Amino acid sequence: MDSVASFSKPVHGTLPQNLIEKIVRLRIYESRYWKEHCFGLTAELLVDKAVSLQYFGGVCSENNKPTPFLCLLLKMLQIQPDLSIVLEFVRNEEYKYVRCLGVLYLRLVGTPLQIYKELEPFYSDYRKLRFQTKTGWKLTYMDEWIDELLHEDIVLNIVLPRLSKRLLLEEAGQLSERVSALQMELDSSENEAGTEDDEDSSSSLSSDSVSSDSASDLDVEAKTGDTPAEIESHEREKSLEVMEEDKNETTKRKHSKMKKEKKKQKKKKKKKKKKHKKQKIVVRGLKATPAAPKSEEEEGRAKVGENSVEYWNMQREKLGLKRLKE
């Protein structure tokens, strides 16, 4: 494990490397990137390593593996480069991850006045950033990263030093009121547009509209000989007449439909009555023929009861037997 140089200055009452928690520091010291790339680094060589960064993040994966970004941050805390070098990191516009590293280092080490003056202008930096989390990758922006550093207490598993509120510095006269870039654009656009031009254009438009209305009214009076009020009343009467005609047509159509429906219902009732009158005898799907009329003898026999003597005598005659005595 690397030891801190004897000439290191305390920051916020502790050694600079102690701003990162001990558990995270031990992970960094055990990482392969620290052993291969961060051993014996100077301020000049650290710039080359920062330029080669392709993403930023804290601790990633399930094994809490530190990212190269976090390793270089710890090395900066150990080296403690000059403020001029740190400001070059912060103001670098070509390499966005160099700016991310310098901004975080300044947030850990700098004073509140330095932090607000250097970080707030980057609210207008909307470049995309690749951020590695424990579960995967995330897309963020530079202005969001600046906002987190100014308002959050914990970033990348690092507890940030307490930052005094901006209002206190404004009341003390150390900072002026912050004006956003959007507000500045709106104010400039409003100032450019003069009030005199608006008044002249409005007056010219009103005079043109009045003259056009009067000219149209005069043309109508010349053609019809009526005033505009009389013309409006005639138009209203015409519109009312059209509405009444439409209503009459709709009522006529309704009455005609009702009559047609009633006629259909009457026809259906007549058909049903005719079907009931016809008595059809159907046996196995065929019409049965009406029975032949009975002869007089058969009718007489039918009148005779089966238990009577005459009935049995008639049966015996058919068989060639003698009649029974009564």
Side-chain angles (χ1 to χ4, degrees):
M1 184 176 70
D2 290 357
S3 60
V4 182
S6 60
F7 57 82
S8 61
K9 299 177 182 179
V11 178
H12 301 295
T14 60
L15 293 174
Q17 69 172 2
N18 292 337
L19 294 173
I20 298 175
E21 293 183 359
K22 186 177 181 180
I23 297 171
V24 181
R25 274 189 283 128
L26 293 174
R27 293 284 183 186
I28 293 170
Y29 294 143
E30 293 173 358
S31 67
R32 185 175 179 180
Y33 186 86
W34 177 265
K35 294 175 182 178
E36 291 182 358
H37 300 280
C38 296
F39 183 77
L41 270 182
T42 61
E44 294 177 356
L45 296 174
L46 190 133
V47 175
D48 297 333
K49 297 293 181 183
V51 168
S52 63
L53 289 172
Q54 299 296 322
Y55 61 93
F56 81 109
V59 176
C60 61
S61 74
E62 296 179 355
N63 298 326
N64 293 327
K65 180 182 176 181
T67 59
F69 181 86
L70 201 59
C71 295
L72 293 177
L73 178 65
L74 180 58
K75 196 64 183 179
M76 284 184 73
L77 292 171
Q78 285 185 354
I79 295 170
Q80 285 186 314
D82 293 334
L83 183 61
S84 61
I85 297 173
V86 176
L87 293 178
E88 288 296 327
F89 273 58
V90 172
R91 296 168 184 174
N92 192 340
E93 296 182 356
E94 293 182 5
Y95 302 100
K96 52 189 177 183
Y97 296 106
V98 173
R99 176 175 285 180
C100 289
L101 184 62
V103 162
L104 181 55
Y105 179 80
L106 185 64
R107 175 67 178 84
L108 291 171
V109 176
T111 61
L113 186 62
Q114 290 175 347
I115 291 167
Y116 282 115
K117 282 185 176 180
E118 295 296 332
L119 268 64
E120 282 184 346
F122 301 129
Y123 272 120
S124 59
D125 190 353
Y126 307 114
R127 286 181 291 179
K128 295 180 181 178
L129 300 172
R130 286 189 292 271
F131 179 68
Q132 188 175 12
T133 61
K134 286 186 177 181
T135 56
W137 295 91
K138 179 184 175 183
L139 183 67
T140 185
Y141 297 87
M142 184 66 75
D143 58 339
E144 292 180 1
W145 173 239
I146 298 297
D147 190 67
E148 287 181 6
L149 293 176
L150 291 176
H151 295 95
E152 298 295 332
D153 297 328
I154 299 172
V155 173
L156 305 182
N157 297 325
I158 299 170
V159 179
L160 300 175
R162 184 179 176 278
L163 184 66
S164 58
K165 293 184 179 180
R166 198 179 192 286
L167 292 173
L168 297 175
L169 298 175
E170 289 179 3
E171 291 175 357
Q174 296 178 359
L175 283 176
S176 59
E177 292 185 3
R178 181 178 173 272
V179 180
S180 63
L182 181 62
Q183 187 65 35
M184 291 174 66
E185 289 180 1
L186 291 173
D187 293 338
S188 62
S189 63
E190 288 177 359
N191 292 328
E192 288 175 359
T195 55
E196 293 179 358
D197 296 336
D198 295 337
E199 290 177 357
D200 294 337
S201 61
S202 62
S203 61
S204 62
L205 288 170
S206 62
S207 61
D208 292 337
S209 62
V210 169
S211 61
S212 62
D213 293 337
S214 60
S216 61
D217 294 338
L218 290 171
D219 292 337
V220 171
E221 288 179 1
K223 289 179 181 178
T224 58
D226 297 330
T227 60
E230 291 177 352
I231 292 167
E232 288 180 0
S233 62
H234 289 307
E235 289 179 354
R236 287 176 184 175
E237 290 176 357
K238 288 180 181 179
S239 61
L240 291 172
E241 289 177 358
V242 172
M243 292 289 287
E244 289 178 357
E245 289 178 357
D246 293 335
K247 287 181 181 179
N248 293 328
E249 288 180 358
T250 52
T251 52
K252 287 179 181 179
R253 288 175 184 174
K254 288 180 181 179
H255 287 303
S256 62
K257 286 182 181 179
M258 294 290 288
K259 288 179 180 179
K260 289 179 181 179
E261 289 178 357
K262 287 181 179 179
K263 288 180 180 179
K264 287 180 181 179
Q265 289 177 359
K266 287 181 180 179
K267 287 180 180 179
K268 288 181 180 179
K269 288 180 181 180
K270 288 180 180 179
K271 287 181 180 179
K272 287 181 180 179
K273 288 180 181 179
K274 288 179 180 179
K275 287 181 181 179
H276 288 300
K277 287 180 180 179
K278 292 179 181 179
Q279 295 178 355
K280 295 181 179 180
I281 303 167
V282 180
V283 179
R284 293 181 183 177
L286 299 173
K287 293 182 180 179
T289 55
K294 295 181 179 180
S295 61
E296 293 179 357
E297 294 180 356
E298 290 176 352
E299 288 179 357
R301 289 175 183 175
K303 291 179 182 179
V304 178
E306 291 181 355
N307 295 327
S308 62
V309 178
E310 291 181 358
Y311 176 77
W312 288 108
N313 286 329
M314 290 170 69
Q315 296 294 331
R316 288 176 70 84
E317 285 179 356
K318 289 179 180 179
L319 296 172
L321 300 175
K322 292 182 179 180
R323 293 173 62 86
L324 295 174
K325 292 181 180 180
E326 295 181 0

